[in-house]
Amino acid sequence: MSTQFFGELQEHSTAKLTILNNYVIPWMRKIVLNPWGSSNGCLIIDGFAGQGKYEDDGSDGSPLILLRNAIDFCRQAEERNWPPPKILLIFNEYSSDNYEVLKENIKEFCGLEFVEDEVGFTSVPSYPSVEVACLNETFEQALTSLLKQVGPSQTLIPSFCFIDPFGFSATPFEIIKRYLKNESAEILLNFIYEETNRFIKHSNPKIQEHMSKHFGVTDLQELKDLIGDNTGGERKKIIVDYYSRQLTENAGVNHVLNFEIKKNGRTKLILFHATKNKHGLKLMKKVMWGVDETGSYLFDDKKNPEQIEFLFAKEVDEISLTEQLAGQIYEHFKGKKNVTEDIVHDFVLFNTDFPIEVFMNNSLKFLKKQGKIDNVRKRDGSKYRHGFSNVYIDFK
């Protein structure tokens, strides 16, 4: 792979790295500190680490973003007298040239030096609870080796894998499926949509073999039949839905989100987030929504309001979105009594495209003002004053 890619941080790369950064910061803390987390710490894998930063402007690439976040967490723990958080980082880069540059950039960043021919984790100077392994393998080899070490009867500690390849041939679905079988494993995958779409019906047998492995099937005919003569947004929706079903039905995850990234008005990438944990789903919805700011789960460097998008038309204001969610909530719950806010919360989380924090309470307030909520009362019998915490809700 040419090093030209690492020369400059392009706008569409900024979007995916922002999502990575904004998700990993709270994810590490939730895993290590929360009651449903693990005292054994967490593992973060960067399957296509690259050089670590971009040459032209020195911007951090994914490895340095992850390493910086781990060190920042350690500093926060020191300030607040928390136990040092145990964070394991695996940076894998297949290109030997990029791998050597990656190690140098890590050394420059935090003083960590890797001993030649020594395999395993090395502690970061001054922050020994952060340990880093740097690998020079294919993504499939790196993940296979990790899963072999864990063994069939054990499971990984809570882990997050960032998968950002240069093409579809490097990410066979089978290894992603094996990784996701671990209960607390999740991924953020850069699905190379433009190339996938272009070659999905290519006649070359080798390309078809790679494409089949990419989707985790022995025969692509079912997907080709679904695509048929569809083009544009319909074709894209079929491909994205098909891969999403592979993740939920064959890899055993409960929740899949996707975020579309366009360049010059054309879909380049689809980011897939897959997790079994509703806390992860809730956090990623909030992060993806925040990056786009319009609620469309889409980043487009052209900002063209005419384009086809997955979830919402652009340029809608917050009031309109609040009313949209209010309509969905009411349609689902109308006529129902004794509905708790937790039940509404799970409906919004699992069955709508909206993040909880931004719109749920405002939507309930809107319904109450419209007279579509008959009664709200405290579950503990105390006097109700306002809000939707610890309440029963009666929908008209």
Side-chain angles (χ1 to χ4, degrees):
M1 178 69 189
S2 169
T3 58
Q4 180 181 358
F5 175 86
F6 299 98
E8 184 178 351
L9 182 58
Q10 300 179 24
E11 287 185 64
H12 61 280
S13 292
T14 303
K16 69 186 175 188
L17 292 180
T18 299
I19 289 172
L20 174 68
N21 180 69
N22 292 353
Y23 184 77
V24 166
I25 290 172
W27 180 86
M28 284 191 298
R29 287 155 178 79
K30 285 178 181 289
I31 291 296
V32 174
L33 299 176
N34 277 13
W36 50 266
S38 169
S39 59
N40 293 324
C42 63
L43 167 66
I44 302 175
I45 306 160
D46 189 340
F48 298 84
Q51 296 181 354
K53 66 180 181 181
Y54 295 84
E55 289 177 337
D56 285 3
D57 59 5
S59 300
D60 288 350
S62 51
L64 294 194
I65 287 173
L66 296 170
L67 190 50
R68 186 185 302 278
N69 287 336
I71 290 173
D72 285 347
F73 186 10
C74 287
R75 289 171 176 160
Q76 182 187 33
E78 286 179 357
E79 291 169 1
R80 302 190 181 188
N81 293 318
W82 297 339
K86 182 179 179 181
I87 303 169
L88 304 178
L89 299 167
I90 296 177
F91 299 141
N92 180 68
E93 172 53 40
Y94 178 61
S95 162
S96 296
D97 290 341
N98 290 335
Y99 172 72
E100 294 302 326
V101 176
L102 171 64
K103 290 191 293 183
E104 285 302 312
N105 283 333
I106 291 173
K107 178 182 176 181
E108 180 184 348
F109 178 75
C110 66
L112 192 158
E113 292 190 65
F114 298 96
V115 178
E116 195 68 30
D117 298 326
E118 201 170 285
V119 179
F121 288 95
T122 304
S123 293
V124 173
S126 302
Y127 302 98
S129 66
V130 178
E131 299 180 41
V132 181
C134 211
L135 308 179
N136 181 207
E137 300 177 343
T138 67
F139 172 68
E140 186 174 12
Q141 287 169 340
L143 228 52
T144 298
S145 175
L146 173 65
L147 295 173
K148 277 184 178 177
Q149 290 178 45
V150 172
S153 61
Q154 301 179 52
T155 187
L156 283 173
I157 62 173
S159 60
F160 174 86
C161 187
F162 181 52
I163 308 169
D164 188 18
F166 305 115
F168 57 80
S169 64
T171 52
F173 184 82
E174 186 59 31
I175 191 62
I176 294 173
K177 172 182 171 180
R178 285 176 54 201
Y179 167 74
L180 286 172
K181 288 297 182 182
N182 288 278
E183 187 60 33
S184 299
E186 56 185 84
I187 62 168
L188 180 63
L189 165 68
N190 175 8
F191 184 89
I192 312 295
Y193 177 78
E194 190 173 48
E195 281 192 359
T196 299
N197 182 47
R198 184 188 310 140
F199 291 108
I200 204 163
K201 291 188 176 183
H202 201 282
S203 59
N204 185 300
K206 193 66 178 175
I207 292 176
Q208 285 296 291
E209 180 184 351
H210 284 310
M211 191 65 68
S212 295
K213 289 180 179 179
H214 178 42
F215 281 96
V217 295
T218 55
D219 188 353
L220 278 174
Q221 195 56 50
E222 179 189 25
L223 177 55
K224 291 177 183 177
D225 290 343
L226 288 170
I227 292 170
D229 296 327
N230 285 292
T231 59
E234 279 302 312
R235 181 183 176 105
K236 175 168 56 185
K237 187 176 187 305
I238 290 166
I239 293 170
V240 171
D241 286 351
Y242 189 89
Y243 197 83
S244 297
R245 285 197 304 275
Q246 284 293 89
L247 288 167
T248 55
E249 295 174 8
N250 292 327
V253 299
N254 300 325
H255 315 294
V256 176
L257 279 178
N258 30 73
F259 186 99
E260 181 180 3
I261 297 179
K262 290 189 173 185
K263 181 175 174 58
N264 298 324
R266 298 179 56 162
T267 301
K268 299 287 289 185
L269 319 169
I270 307 286
L271 295 180
F272 280 87
H273 176 248
T275 181
K276 295 184 177 73
N277 193 302
K278 76 174 188 178
H279 300 284
L281 171 67
K282 182 178 179 179
L283 175 58
M284 186 57 84
K285 285 179 80 172
K286 181 181 178 182
V287 168
M288 286 184 171
W289 189 285
V291 168
D292 178 47
E293 296 182 347
T294 66
S296 62
Y297 293 116
L298 178 143
F299 175 86
D300 183 6
D301 60 358
K302 287 185 72 175
K303 296 293 182 184
N304 177 5
E306 304 292 329
Q307 70 200 9
I308 296 171
E309 298 171 352
F310 279 151
L311 303 177
F312 302 105
K314 276 192 177 300
E315 310 304 332
V316 290
D317 59 28
E318 189 170 317
I319 294 173
S320 174
L321 291 171
T322 296
E323 293 177 5
Q324 281 187 40
L325 178 57
Q328 292 181 38
I329 292 172
Y330 183 68
E331 187 62 30
H332 184 78
F333 290 105
K334 65 180 176 181
K336 295 183 180 180
K337 310 296 181 184
N338 300 324
V339 178
T340 68
E341 78 277 8
D342 295 331
I343 293 174
V344 179
H345 173 283
D346 285 353
F347 168 75
V348 174
L349 180 61
F350 301 137
N351 300 102
T352 80
D353 300 317
F354 293 85
I356 300 298
E357 292 86 348
V358 182
F359 295 109
M360 183 180 130
N361 276 351
N362 285 342
S363 294
L364 289 172
K365 288 177 185 176
F366 175 81
L367 290 174
K368 193 169 185 292
K369 186 177 180 181
Q370 293 292 307
K372 293 182 177 180
I373 289 178
D374 265 342
N375 186 32
V376 183
R377 60 197 182 281
K378 299 295 283 185
R379 279 185 275 171
D380 60 8
S382 61
K383 184 177 179 180
Y384 173 76
R385 289 182 173 81
H386 57 81
F388 296 92
S389 176
N390 189 32
V391 296
Y392 289 115
I393 306 168
D394 295 341
F395 289 87
K396 193 169 182 179

